Amino acid sequence: MSVDPRLARSRPQQQQPTAVPPPPPPPPMGSLDSVSDSSLVVPDDQFKLKFCTICASNQNRSMEAHLQLALAHLPTISFGTGSLVRLPGPTVHQPNVYNFNSTTYRAIHSELASQNTQLYTANGLLNMLGRNLTIKGYPERFQDWVPGKPRLDHREDQGAAGTEAGVVDVMITCEERCFDAVLDDLHNKGGKLNHPVHVVNVDIRDNHEEALVGGRAILDLALSLNTAAAKEREVLGDGGWDRGAGAARQGFDEKVPDLIASWQERWPNLPALWSLAWL
Amino acid sequence: MNPSAQTPVGQLEAARSLALGDGRYYPTIIPGVMPIIGANADASIEIRRWGADFLAETFASPTWPPDVKVPCALSVLATIKEYLEGVADSGVLRSAVQAAASIYPLVYRHIIADPADTQHWQLMLAIKSNILRRMDSAPPGVRICCVKFVQQIVLVQTPGMPPDPRRPEHTDISLALVPRDHPMIPYANLEAESSGLLDRLLGIIHGDHRLDRLMARDEIPLTMYSDALLVTATLNSLGMLIQRRPAVITKILSSVMNFNPLKLANSPMTSKNKVLMKSIERTTRALLVNVMKRNPEGPFTGRIQQYLEKIHRMRIDVLDESNRKRPAPTETTDNLDAAKRQRLDAPVPIMAPAVQAVPALPPGPVSFRQLFTLNPDGNTANFDVQAFQDPEQLLRILVPVLQSIDETRLGSSINAVRSRYLTLSTAMPRPPVQAPAAVDDEEEYEPDFEPEDAEQVMNKLDGAPPDNFIPERISDAPLAPYRLPEAPLLTVEEAQNHGKMTIQRAFQMLSSIGEPNLKTKITKGGFNRLAASSFDRDSWITILSRLATRASAGLGDIDQGIKSEFEVKRGSLGLGESIRNQLYQYIMSDWRKRIDVAISWLNEEWYNDNVIAQSTKPTSKPVANGNGAVSVTDKGNYQRCALRLLDGMLTYIEGTDKVLVRFISEIPGLDMSILSRMKKMAEDPERIDLAIMVLQYLYMFRPPVRELAVDVLVDMWRTNDRAKNNAKKLLLRWRPEALQEDREEAFKTEKESANGALEVKAA
């Protein structure tokens, strides 16, 4: 029986990262390889931060990062900050434009495939959409997100485990425009949850290759943040922070700037920004 | 992990997911959960962490309404207090403070409505004071949550919009709800407290909060490790205060705009500090931009824009963004790219093929056309050059095409054809001699020139029908030497035109060299210099002026006499004249800057005139001095050109153009006709001073023309009323007798006019 990966979401048993079906569209082998290393998967009994990846259209960069974080078993959701989902069209002046939150990746995939299969195969769009529809149902707009609203209807999404409450600890944006948009919108949302969130920008150019590299960088960042957060809970434990000394006394939150700085040294081509904001 | 906790946590999780599924379950679930996580329960740290997280999540949840939350909030106060006082785990503390931040407005509202409920308010106050105590001492992760808690207090204890009775569910919890005579929470106290707390929040931005600790504990310098965390946490919590509490906008904004986000610039530029600095700056900007966006017409927009521009400039200064631009993308060294490209399973256009795919030749006999056609599918293969009737048009296309040819591709194409030819010539038996329809006997073939000549033949054959076969025995057929067709003789006019074009080109080049840097000290070569030892403007000027003066010297009719300017303008025929014309135009197009060109040209002219004069009239008296007022060659080119230049310049010259002094003083020969131009110039009252200055300069520094200059001055004094005063001052020193004569004369005339017909008395 031939297996269409686009149907993967409707078959929960196939959502294991090891069971990504063969093409067409081609499976994201590159991403799989990068996390097949067991050191890049966070064991489920360990403490986990909740992540959120954000780019302009919730298609390429945020979705690549979403996939890589989800494959590392980190709770992840993703958003776009644009007003509409914009994908390249036949010419620069004719982009394909879709609404957030209502147009599924599957619908976009089939529309583009019927429009011009060869073009959208050649520029990698169909491949990308094929990957996206195995991750979640539809692109979501950040500004429409209500933090704290349970996301039980997203249970099928990759990386959904842990994000049921609709709260995240770390947001990773993929370009400065999105970083600004996120900070701006968080002011508008008003911080009603009183929940601190680290917003980190990782500047990634919007193409498939850079998204892949950027996804790996984001995974690296997420893992180092998560390790620090988990360590805080181990080290401090019962008895409190004042028993420790020196670095051990340093909690997760104040370590974040250091972690980002050392991450920046590992990834000098992806300029970083950071801010502590409120959900 | 504590395994014994697994089961309770599992149960708790089940309860939580029920509530997540529907917020209406919270009121029933909380009483069930509290005994497990709550105060007095001897819960493990695991359970307590879960409990604190749950409380924070529960009271923040938007899925159930605030008025339902209130009774639940009252029921969990004791637990939160116990967490804060009894548990020293920062995870628990963080979540407890978060929960308290969500609960404080609820309890506050409850107390407003029920002033008698002292018990719960006391609990809340205990929680509040506990959290406020931690503001300065807790680990930063907890302190940021305290910041948010304080922000919540400021929010509800500052007057907001008056409540709207029609929409009670949307009522904004603020000081406006508190009656002035509330027994438990006096209005004035609340207001004072929130004002003080807001100051404390704003103090965090400015780093003041650490000063006392710093001094007391001699500890971490400002902005060393957690400031960025606290500062951004505070900035990001201020946005909603600005939105919802107009009463404190001014205070907050003026404080924020006094903040220097780049104060880290003084500390070492480690990568961490750079990231932090950028981040704080960006966070500040996001806050202010948000304020502007929400109220573009607001009274602060102008100030905010100024501030944003200021920190933008500072950031550029401090971080020098130009060096921080993303470097050119480097190819990743691992196999990532290849792996990625493979996934694209699509005919990706090959960007730079190392070896061009060359289609095999069709079997059987091949034409030259086929031999040389490497890309039979392309449009160029079917292109007939003969379609261009106009060779000019063809040239216009061909030259850019040739220029754009990629050398490596051309090389590989030549190699491809070469190998084709080799295999062809070895493998294919020559067809029997056929009448070489297109190859004439004259156009035979010489193997030494194989590639080029093959191409030539091909060019010829290309237009011919494609069934030409490779001619027999081309390899040893001799080729007649090729001669370029002889150019037709030029008419005089054409030759002159070409000469003019050449000169024009030389001047175009001159303008492309650009003006010399005025600062650089240039040593003058003089007449004996080598005309051009470098590729600069001076060299070209020297070459051109020598071409104009010396090249055709003596060739013309010596007795031709001086040419009138009219003749020059009409366009004289000689090479010299057209160069002179061009030089003239070149100088006049920017004469202020090119006065040195004019001077060196005129010097060349003068020199040449003298050389000619000496050679043609060896008997005439020799030229004594370059500054001599009397030139041997009155008819020479020098004077004509000098007058022409001077006249040209006089049109434009202004009273302030001292450059004229230089010009007049540096040109080699001066005579009455040149100096009388000064007199003429002085007719313009604005240029009198300049004219006098020229004459004075000549008087002082060129003694040979001193007499001449004074003559001109006297003349000016006599004829130009406006110049009289200036001229008089100089004449008093140089030639007082002239004044004397004149005075007598003037006196005489005065007398005459005064006395009319009366007889004149001698003075």
Side-chain angles (χ1 to χ4, degrees):
Chain A
M1 186 187 80
S2 71
V3 177
D4 187 341
R6 287 168 292 179
L7 302 176
R9 285 191 69 249
S10 57
R11 291 189 305 272
Q13 75 278 7
Q14 294 235 344
Q15 284 194 18
Q16 297 313 309
T18 47
V20 173
M29 287 306 293
S31 322
L32 263 185
D33 290 346
S34 61
V35 293
S36 56
D37 186 352
S38 63
S39 72
L40 296 179
V41 175
V42 180
D44 284 337
D45 59 347
Q46 199 189 326
F47 171 79
K48 287 175 184 174
L49 289 169
K50 301 169 190 71
F51 291 90
C52 169
T53 61
I54 299 155
C55 68
S57 287
N58 197 201
Q59 289 281 3
N60 183 28
R61 293 165 293 182
S62 61
M63 288 304 273
E64 177 63 46
H66 185 154
L67 179 69
Q68 297 209 21
L69 296 186
L71 291 177
H73 289 211
L74 288 170
T76 310
I77 57 178
S78 59
F79 295 99
T81 56
S83 51
L84 292 162
V85 177
R86 286 189 177 78
L87 292 175
T91 71
V92 182
H93 307 290
Q94 300 165 267
N96 287 302
V97 176
Y98 303 94
N99 282 318
F100 272 108
N101 306 338
S102 55
T103 324
T104 60
Y105 291 115
R106 187 182 311 279
I108 301 175
H109 185 284
S110 54
E111 186 182 316
L112 292 189
S114 65
Q115 233 184 59
N116 189 342
T117 311
Q118 200 189 349
L119 170 67
Y120 296 121
T121 310
N123 67 12
L125 274 196
L126 290 183
N127 176 40
M128 179 186 81
L129 288 161
R131 172 199 69 195
N132 291 351
L133 56 81
T134 65
I135 298 172
K136 63 181 198 174
Y138 49 86
E140 294 168 83
R141 182 153 189 258
F142 182 79
Q143 287 86 340
D144 298 332
W145 174 46
V146 181
K149 187 171 168 249
R151 290 173 59 89
L152 298 178
D153 49 337
H154 288 271
R155 222 174 253 154
E156 305 287 301
D157 296 359
Q158 292 201 44
T163 64
E164 299 86 354
V167 177
V168 297
D169 302 305
V170 179
M171 292 180 177
I172 299 170
T173 58
C174 295
E175 69 178 83
E176 296 195 358
R177 214 154 42 95
C178 299
F179 182 78
D180 293 341
V182 164
L183 288 189
D184 186 63
D185 187 59
L186 288 178
H187 282 303
N188 292 342
K189 285 184 174 31
K192 294 201 182 83
L193 302 193
N194 300 309
H195 183 85
V197 58
H198 292 274
V199 187
V200 185
N201 180 61
V202 174
D203 225 18
I204 303 169
R205 270 182 302 167
D206 197 359
N207 62 50
H208 300 304
E209 283 78 7
E210 294 278 329
L212 191 68
V213 177
R216 283 168 21 119
I218 289 175
L219 178 62
D220 178 24
L221 176 65
L223 288 173
S224 68
L225 292 176
N226 197 67
T227 310
K231 201 173 278 170
E232 180 192 39
R233 290 177 85 93
E234 278 172 30
V235 168
L236 302 180
D238 194 4
W241 59 278
D242 48 6
R243 272 211 218 139
R249 252 179 58 178
Q250 241 187 309
F252 162 69
D253 292 295
E254 67 258 41
K255 264 194 215 155
V256 170
D258 290 305
L259 295 172
I260 290 174
S262 58
W263 174 90
Q264 181 76 88
E265 276 160 19
R266 294 200 293 279
W267 301 87
N269 290 333
L270 303 170
L273 284 173
W274 159 84
S275 191
L276 188 112
W278 298 95
L279 276 183
Chain B
M1 285 266 163
N2 185 353
S4 67
Q6 287 298 337
T7 324
V9 168
Q11 283 170 357
L12 290 169
E13 276 297 336
R16 173 174 170 250
S17 49
L18 194 65
L20 285 178
D22 190 338
R24 283 175 303 179
Y25 290 125
Y26 274 117
T28 47
I29 286 170
I30 290 171
V33 168
M34 290 316 287
I36 308 175
I37 63 167
N40 310 323
D42 191 15
S44 69
I45 185 71
E46 219 54 52
I47 301 279
R48 281 163 193 251
R49 275 177 180 166
W50 188 94
D53 289 348
F54 175 75
L55 290 180
E57 179 181 296
T58 299
F59 288 97
S61 174
T63 55
W64 56 312
D67 46 336
V68 185
K69 281 179 185 170
V70 172
C72 298
L74 300 177
S75 72
V76 301
L77 283 175
T79 309
I80 292 178
K81 180 164 174 280
E82 188 256 354
Y83 282 160
L84 288 171
E85 287 169 357
V87 186
D89 178 74
S90 69
V92 174
L93 287 177
R94 273 181 49 152
S95 296
V97 177
Q98 284 175 46
S102 299
I103 283 171
Y104 186 80
L106 301 171
V107 179
Y108 176 78
R109 196 176 157 196
H110 166 74
I111 297 301
I112 294 171
D114 182 6
D117 191 356
T118 325
Q119 188 204 347
H120 284 121
W121 187 239
Q122 289 306 328
L123 273 176
M124 192 71 240
L125 286 184
I127 292 171
K128 182 163 143 187
S129 59
N130 183 302
I131 292 174
L132 293 182
R133 269 202 311 279
R134 292 178 187 276
M135 269 279 279
D136 291 329
S137 58
V142 179
R143 274 164 76 192
I144 54 173
C145 296
C146 299
V147 164
K148 193 66 173 56
F149 179 78
V150 168
Q151 179 246 293
Q152 288 287 87
I153 298 179
V154 174
L155 179 73
V156 298
Q157 295 187 185
T158 305
M161 296 295 151
D164 183 353
R166 288 163 301 177
R167 305 177 66 195
E169 73 281 2
H170 282 96
T171 301
D172 184 14
I173 304 172
S174 80
L175 193 59
L177 295 180
V178 181
R180 293 272 169 177
D181 54 351
H182 198 286
M184 294 259 296
I185 40 175
Y187 188 98
N189 290 14
L190 293 182
E191 197 175 24
E193 185 190 34
S194 82
S195 168
L197 288 175
L198 180 59
D199 285 340
R200 229 166 131 179
L201 275 187
L202 299 174
I204 291 176
I205 309 178
H206 294 278
D208 299 341
H209 62 297
R210 316 197 79 201
L211 279 179
D212 49 346
R213 284 180 56 218
L214 266 177
M215 287 184 285
R217 310 223 314 242
D218 189 23
E219 219 189 7
I220 321 114
L222 205 71
T223 68
M224 196 40 200
Y225 76 37
S226 61
D227 249 30
L229 186 81
L230 278 164
V231 167
T232 57
T234 309
L235 286 171
N236 281 320
S237 70
L238 289 176
M240 66 110 70
L241 282 181
I242 295 173
Q243 280 166 34
R244 294 173 57 186
R245 294 294 175 261
V248 291
I249 289 186
T250 315
K251 188 177 185 180
I252 295 177
L253 281 184
S254 52
S255 174
V256 171
M257 283 192 270
N258 276 326
F259 169 56
N260 173 13
L262 299 167
K263 60 183 171 187
L264 271 181
N266 298 329
S267 49
M269 273 288 179
T270 59
S271 63
K272 179 185 165 190
N273 275 345
K274 271 186 202 162
V275 171
L276 291 186
M277 207 157 36
K278 275 198 298 178
S279 303
I280 296 177
E281 190 253 351
R282 205 62 177 224
T283 308
T284 316
R285 208 169 85 187
L287 171 68
L288 293 176
V289 168
N290 179 266
V291 174
M292 280 203 297
K293 266 198 208 163
R294 298 193 132 247
N295 189 4
E297 306 300 317
F300 296 101
T301 307
R303 278 180 63 200
I304 291 178
Q305 267 164 352
Q306 275 178 7
Y307 175 80
L308 291 179
E309 276 165 32
K310 192 181 86 188
I311 59 173
H312 177 71
R313 278 197 303 273
M314 281 169 65
R315 188 180 69 138
I316 290 175
D317 287 349
V318 169
L319 294 174
D320 190 16
E321 288 283 303
S322 59
N323 296 338
R324 295 182 52 78
K325 283 242 171 85
R326 200 201 313 256
T330 46
E331 282 298 314
T332 42
T333 43
D334 53 7
N335 299 329
L336 205 67
D337 273 10
K340 180 76 185 175
R341 288 213 170 89
Q342 276 166 13
R343 284 166 56 195
L344 289 176
D345 201 25
V348 182
I350 301 156
M351 294 312 288
V355 182
Q356 228 175 333
V358 179
L361 280 175
V366 275
S367 68
F368 270 116
R369 182 189 175 130
Q370 284 166 315
L371 173 62
F372 281 93
T373 303
L374 294 179
N375 181 11
D377 306 324
N379 294 331
T380 44
N382 300 319
F383 185 72
D384 187 358
V385 188
Q386 284 175 334
F388 291 99
Q389 298 297 328
D390 182 10
E392 284 283 326
Q393 198 183 1
L394 192 59
L395 271 182
R396 273 200 296 276
I397 296 172
L398 205 58
V399 172
V401 166
L402 287 176
Q403 279 168 346
S404 67
I405 284 176
D406 179 16
E407 209 173 320
T408 55
R409 285 190 65 174
L410 179 66
S412 65
S413 301
I414 291 173
N415 282 336
V417 173
R418 207 174 258 164
S419 70
R420 269 181 175 190
Y421 180 75
L422 268 177
T423 49
L424 214 58
S425 53
T426 53
M428 214 172 82
R430 301 263 180 230
V433 187
Q434 291 200 345
V439 184
D440 295 336
D441 283 340
E442 306 100 74
E443 275 206 73
E444 277 170 337
Y445 198 84
E446 197 166 36
D448 289 354
F449 299 102
E450 187 187 295
E452 290 86 358
D453 285 18
E455 228 161 303
Q456 279 179 3
V457 175
M458 186 271 289
N459 284 344
K460 178 102 186 184
L461 287 182
D462 224 3
D467 52 346
N468 294 321
F469 296 114
I470 295 170
E472 175 66 351
R473 293 174 58 77
I474 41 174
S475 55
D476 34 59
L479 189 73
Y482 179 73
R483 273 186 212 91
L484 280 170
E486 213 152 293
L489 283 175
L490 291 174
T491 65
V492 178
E493 211 166 306
E494 277 173 332
Q496 275 172 355
N497 276 339
H498 286 296
K500 269 184 198 155
M501 273 157 58
T502 316
I503 296 163
Q504 274 167 6
R505 220 164 277 172
F507 276 95
Q508 274 168 13
M509 185 172 52
L510 207 56
S511 53
S512 72
I513 293 171
E515 301 293 325
N517 190 351
L518 293 174
K519 295 276 164 62
T520 52
K521 189 86 178 169
I522 299 160
T523 49
K524 294 277 179 197
F527 292 117
N528 294 324
R529 65 174 284 181
L530 208 56
S533 44
S534 62
F535 189 74
D536 58 4
R537 191 187 72 156
D538 265 6
S539 305
W540 281 107
I541 291 294
T542 313
I543 288 178
L544 287 165
S545 51
R546 284 185 188 175
L547 270 177
T549 56
R550 300 185 197 178
S552 55
L555 295 179
D557 183 3
I558 300 161
D559 300 326
Q560 179 182 16
I562 187 164
K563 290 172 195 153
S564 72
E565 278 184 48
F566 175 70
E567 261 179 303
V568 177
K569 275 177 195 156
R570 198 183 52 190
S572 164
L573 300 181
L575 168 74
E577 281 317 306
S578 50
I579 298 180
R580 283 182 181 117
N581 270 335
Q582 289 279 347
L583 267 172
Y584 174 77
Q585 273 155 20
Y586 175 73
I587 293 165
M588 286 314 295
S589 65
D590 191 0
W591 59 272
R592 282 188 182 86
K593 282 193 187 142
R594 292 174 182 167
I595 209 82
D596 58 326
V597 176
I599 291 164
S600 68
W601 170 36
L602 290 179
N603 274 307
E604 291 286 347
E605 290 282 8
W606 180 88
Y607 174 77
N608 188 54
D609 284 352
N610 278 303
V611 170
I612 288 179
Q614 272 177 328
S615 62
T616 51
K617 299 179 193 165
T619 50
S620 70
K621 50 179 178 177
V623 186
N625 188 335
N627 288 332
V630 184
S631 171
V632 189
T633 53
D634 290 289
K635 299 173 181 178
N637 287 316
Y638 163 73
Q639 201 188 19
R640 182 170 54 83
C641 295
L643 283 178
R644 190 179 173 207
L645 266 174
L646 191 57
D647 286 343
M649 281 189 255
L650 280 179
T651 325
Y652 302 107
I653 230 156
E654 287 167 23
T656 51
D657 282 321
K658 301 252 170 65
V659 77
L660 180 73
V661 180
R662 180 182 167 199
F663 178 74
I664 298 285
S665 61
E666 287 192 24
I667 56 175
L670 291 172
D671 62 6
M672 201 57 199
S673 60
I674 293 178
L675 286 183
S676 64
R677 297 300 201 270
M678 293 301 102
K679 198 183 90 190
K680 191 154 174 35
M681 188 175 82
E683 283 168 12
D684 176 355
E686 286 184 3
R687 303 195 287 191
I688 290 172
D689 287 342
L690 184 64
I692 301 256
M693 196 190 296
V694 169
L695 294 174
Q696 188 178 7
Y697 188 93
L698 291 179
Y699 182 89
M700 287 158 70
F701 296 105
R702 280 179 77 166
V705 292
R706 198 172 263 183
E707 283 303 303
L708 210 52
V710 178
D711 285 348
V712 173
L713 195 63
V714 170
D715 200 9
M716 212 187 280
W717 181 73
R718 281 196 185 127
T719 56
N720 191 336
D721 282 344
R722 290 197 192 88
K724 248 191 164 75
N725 277 338
N726 288 346
K728 195 173 157 189
K729 278 181 210 154
L730 292 176
L731 285 178
L732 270 177
R733 273 189 282 144
W734 297 346
R735 198 181 282 174
E737 65 274 16
L739 289 177
Q740 199 62 35
E741 291 163 20
D742 267 61
R743 196 172 300 149
E744 283 165 12
E745 248 170 65
F747 184 72
K748 238 183 261 172
T749 50
E750 199 181 316
K751 280 278 178 189
E752 269 172 16
S753 61
N755 298 335
L758 295 178
E759 62 170 358
V760 179
K761 287 182 185 168

